[in-house]
Amino acid sequence: MEVGYTSSLMRLTSDEIEFIARKVVKTLVAEGKLELDSEARVVEAVVRVITDELMVEDRLNEEVREKLTEHTAEMQRMSITYTDMFKMLKKKMAKEKGIIL
């Protein structure tokens, strides 16, 4: 299974994500909360879900960076730092998109 999460701030490696997914599936099966015919298929699906969720913030960060490059002159005129503007814009865009950070 080659599902990976790559980020400049790599929070979790692919192996760590797979470990977590396997642990979740095994725990749910052991507690009788999940019955399955293919553990591998379910683990793979859980890995995809975890990876997708971790990548939401990364995609938002990239979108914010792109928008900020369009407003460099404006930020200089307003004497606001890139970091401060990044934080403000990220918070605003996350709220608009319904992303919980």
Side-chain angles (χ1 to χ4, degrees):
M1 167 181 15
E2 227 6 78
V3 176
Y5 169 63
T6 55
S7 164
S8 58
L9 298 174
M10 184 66 85
R11 286 176 231 113
L12 294 172
T13 65
S14 296
D15 289 341
E16 290 169 328
I17 293 170
E18 187 170 342
F19 174 80
I20 291 166
R22 286 188 186 288
K23 185 78 170 166
V24 166
V25 171
K26 285 185 184 298
T27 300
L28 291 173
V29 169
E31 292 176 358
K33 296 179 180 175
L34 182 66
E35 291 182 25
L36 37 97
D37 57 351
S38 171
E39 183 175 322
R41 193 175 77 233
V42 175
V43 168
E44 187 176 334
V46 173
V47 166
R48 274 194 308 274
V49 169
I50 293 170
T51 302
D52 289 348
E53 279 301 310
L54 290 173
M55 292 177 71
V56 166
E57 186 172 0
D58 291 339
R59 287 190 297 270
L60 177 64
N61 286 341
E62 186 57 36
E63 203 173 324
V64 170
R65 281 187 208 95
E66 288 173 11
K67 286 202 180 281
L68 287 180
T69 59
E70 300 167 8
H71 301 286
T72 304
E74 186 180 333
M75 288 184 330
Q76 290 172 342
R77 211 173 33 251
M78 295 171 57
S79 297
I80 190 164
T81 67
Y82 178 90
T83 303
D84 290 340
M85 185 63 115
F86 184 93
K87 289 176 185 176
M88 288 186 327
L89 186 56
K90 181 177 177 179
K91 184 177 179 179
K92 178 183 180 227
M93 290 175 69
K95 185 176 181 179
E96 289 171 356
K97 295 174 179 283
I99 298 171
I100 298 172
L101 301 174

mmCIF file of all heavy atoms in Angstrom, residues 23-37 42 46:
data_model
loop_
_atom_site.group_PDB
_atom_site.id
_atom_site.type_symbol
_atom_site.label_atom_id
_atom_site.label_comp_id
_atom_site.label_asym_id
_atom_site.label_seq_id
_atom_site.Cartn_x
_atom_site.Cartn_y
_atom_site.Cartn_z
ATOM 1 N N LYS A 23 -4.013 0.063 13.991
ATOM 2 C CA LYS A 23 -4.377 0.039 15.415
ATOM 3 C C LYS A 23 -5.873 0.326 15.591
ATOM 4 O O LYS A 23 -6.553 -0.353 16.362
ATOM 5 C CB LYS A 23 -3.535 1.076 16.164
ATOM 6 C CG LYS A 23 -3.718 1.066 17.639
ATOM 7 C CD LYS A 23 -2.969 -0.069 18.271
ATOM 8 C CE LYS A 23 -2.977 0.108 19.775
ATOM 9 N NZ LYS A 23 -2.560 -1.072 20.469
ATOM 10 N N VAL A 24 -6.382 1.306 14.875
ATOM 11 C CA VAL A 24 -7.804 1.650 14.958
ATOM 12 C C VAL A 24 -8.653 0.465 14.515
ATOM 13 O O VAL A 24 -9.613 0.070 15.196
ATOM 14 C CB VAL A 24 -8.122 2.905 14.104
ATOM 15 C CG1 VAL A 24 -9.618 3.080 13.905
ATOM 16 C CG2 VAL A 24 -7.510 4.149 14.730
ATOM 17 N N VAL A 25 -8.313 -0.126 13.382
ATOM 18 C CA VAL A 25 -9.091 -1.249 12.845
ATOM 19 C C VAL A 25 -9.027 -2.441 13.796
ATOM 20 O O VAL A 25 -10.060 -3.035 14.117
ATOM 21 C CB VAL A 25 -8.606 -1.630 11.427
ATOM 22 C CG1 VAL A 25 -9.249 -2.929 10.962
ATOM 23 C CG2 VAL A 25 -8.910 -0.492 10.449
ATOM 24 N N LYS A 26 -7.834 -2.783 14.265
ATOM 25 C CA LYS A 26 -7.696 -3.926 15.184
ATOM 26 C C LYS A 26 -8.484 -3.705 16.473
ATOM 27 O O LYS A 26 -9.120 -4.616 16.980
ATOM 28 C CB LYS A 26 -6.222 -4.184 15.497
ATOM 29 C CG LYS A 26 -5.476 -4.834 14.362
ATOM 30 C CD LYS A 26 -4.056 -5.181 14.777
ATOM 31 C CE LYS A 26 -3.251 -5.735 13.630
ATOM 32 N NZ LYS A 26 -3.734 -6.972 13.069
ATOM 33 N N THR A 27 -8.453 -2.491 16.999
ATOM 34 C CA THR A 27 -9.178 -2.183 18.230
ATOM 35 C C THR A 27 -10.684 -2.310 18.017
ATOM 36 O O THR A 27 -11.390 -2.906 18.843
ATOM 37 C CB THR A 27 -8.835 -0.757 18.720
ATOM 38 O OG1 THR A 27 -7.424 -0.688 18.979
ATOM 39 C CG2 THR A 27 -9.595 -0.402 19.979
ATOM 40 N N LEU A 28 -11.186 -1.776 16.914
ATOM 41 C CA LEU A 28 -12.623 -1.862 16.632
ATOM 42 C C LEU A 28 -13.068 -3.302 16.422
ATOM 43 O O LEU A 28 -14.153 -3.699 16.875
ATOM 44 C CB LEU A 28 -12.979 -1.002 15.422
ATOM 45 C CG LEU A 28 -12.862 0.508 15.630
ATOM 46 C CD1 LEU A 28 -13.075 1.247 14.311
ATOM 47 C CD2 LEU A 28 -13.838 0.993 16.683
ATOM 48 N N VAL A 29 -12.235 -4.103 15.777
ATOM 49 C CA VAL A 29 -12.571 -5.527 15.584
ATOM 50 C C VAL A 29 -12.563 -6.237 16.931
ATOM 51 O O VAL A 29 -13.481 -6.992 17.259
ATOM 52 C CB VAL A 29 -11.590 -6.187 14.591
ATOM 53 C CG1 VAL A 29 -11.747 -7.702 14.597
ATOM 54 C CG2 VAL A 29 -11.804 -5.633 13.185
ATOM 55 N N ALA A 30 -11.529 -5.981 17.744
ATOM 56 C CA ALA A 30 -11.402 -6.636 19.051
ATOM 57 C C ALA A 30 -12.561 -6.285 19.980
ATOM 58 O O ALA A 30 -12.996 -7.115 20.781
ATOM 59 C CB ALA A 30 -10.074 -6.241 19.705
ATOM 60 N N GLU A 31 -13.079 -5.071 19.856
ATOM 61 C CA GLU A 31 -14.198 -4.643 20.696
ATOM 62 C C GLU A 31 -15.548 -5.046 20.118
ATOM 63 O O GLU A 31 -16.597 -4.728 20.670
ATOM 64 C CB GLU A 31 -14.152 -3.123 20.893
ATOM 65 C CG GLU A 31 -12.970 -2.664 21.722
ATOM 66 C CD GLU A 31 -12.874 -1.151 21.835
ATOM 67 O OE1 GLU A 31 -13.708 -0.437 21.232
ATOM 68 O OE2 GLU A 31 -11.964 -0.677 22.535
ATOM 69 N N GLY A 32 -15.527 -5.734 18.997
ATOM 70 C CA GLY A 32 -16.754 -6.193 18.378
ATOM 71 C C GLY A 32 -17.562 -5.086 17.716
ATOM 72 O O GLY A 32 -18.738 -5.255 17.413
ATOM 73 N N LYS A 33 -16.937 -3.959 17.456
ATOM 74 C CA LYS A 33 -17.629 -2.828 16.847
ATOM 75 C C LYS A 33 -17.488 -2.810 15.331
ATOM 76 O O LYS A 33 -18.101 -1.979 14.669
ATOM 77 C CB LYS A 33 -17.085 -1.519 17.426
ATOM 78 C CG LYS A 33 -17.359 -1.378 18.904
ATOM 79 C CD LYS A 33 -16.801 -0.095 19.457
ATOM 80 C CE LYS A 33 -17.132 -0.024 20.957
ATOM 81 N NZ LYS A 33 -16.518 1.127 21.567
ATOM 82 N N LEU A 34 -16.691 -3.740 14.818
ATOM 83 C CA LEU A 34 -16.453 -3.762 13.381
ATOM 84 C C LEU A 34 -16.233 -5.199 12.944
ATOM 85 O O LEU A 34 -15.453 -5.932 13.546
ATOM 86 C CB LEU A 34 -15.206 -2.914 13.057
ATOM 87 C CG LEU A 34 -14.806 -2.757 11.608
ATOM 88 C CD1 LEU A 34 -15.863 -1.971 10.840
ATOM 89 C CD2 LEU A 34 -13.464 -2.043 11.508
ATOM 90 N N GLU A 35 -16.962 -5.597 11.930
ATOM 91 C CA GLU A 35 -16.761 -6.900 11.320
ATOM 92 C C GLU A 35 -16.336 -6.632 9.887
ATOM 93 O O GLU A 35 -16.904 -5.777 9.213
ATOM 94 C CB GLU A 35 -18.052 -7.711 11.321
ATOM 95 C CG GLU A 35 -18.493 -8.154 12.695
ATOM 96 C CD GLU A 35 -19.760 -9.002 12.639
ATOM 97 O OE1 GLU A 35 -20.022 -9.630 11.603
ATOM 98 O OE2 GLU A 35 -20.481 -9.012 13.643
ATOM 99 N N LEU A 36 -15.339 -7.367 9.422
ATOM 100 C CA LEU A 36 -14.880 -7.119 8.074
ATOM 101 C C LEU A 36 -14.422 -8.389 7.386
ATOM 102 O O LEU A 36 -14.058 -9.359 8.023
ATOM 103 C CB LEU A 36 -13.760 -6.073 8.062
ATOM 104 C CG LEU A 36 -12.762 -6.114 9.218
ATOM 105 C CD1 LEU A 36 -11.522 -6.860 8.818
ATOM 106 C CD2 LEU A 36 -12.429 -4.694 9.570
ATOM 107 N N ASP A 37 -14.479 -8.323 6.078
ATOM 108 C CA ASP A 37 -14.041 -9.470 5.288
ATOM 109 C C ASP A 37 -12.603 -9.278 4.801
ATOM 110 O O ASP A 37 -11.928 -10.234 4.471
ATOM 111 C CB ASP A 37 -14.978 -9.717 4.100
ATOM 112 C CG ASP A 37 -15.108 -8.506 3.195
ATOM 113 O OD1 ASP A 37 -14.625 -7.429 3.555
ATOM 114 O OD2 ASP A 37 -15.714 -8.654 2.118
ATOM 115 N N VAL A 42 -9.820 -2.338 4.532
ATOM 116 C CA VAL A 42 -10.317 -1.357 5.492
ATOM 117 C C VAL A 42 -9.166 -0.484 6.003
ATOM 118 O O VAL A 42 -9.302 0.743 6.101
ATOM 119 C CB VAL A 42 -11.056 -2.043 6.665
ATOM 120 C CG1 VAL A 42 -11.458 -1.030 7.725
ATOM 121 C CG2 VAL A 42 -12.274 -2.792 6.146
ATOM 122 N N VAL A 46 -8.803 3.594 5.717
ATOM 123 C CA VAL A 46 -8.554 4.449 6.879
ATOM 124 C C VAL A 46 -7.292 5.284 6.643
ATOM 125 O O VAL A 46 -7.254 6.480 6.965
ATOM 126 C CB VAL A 46 -8.459 3.621 8.184
ATOM 127 C CG1 VAL A 46 -8.033 4.491 9.359
ATOM 128 C CG2 VAL A 46 -9.789 2.930 8.487
#
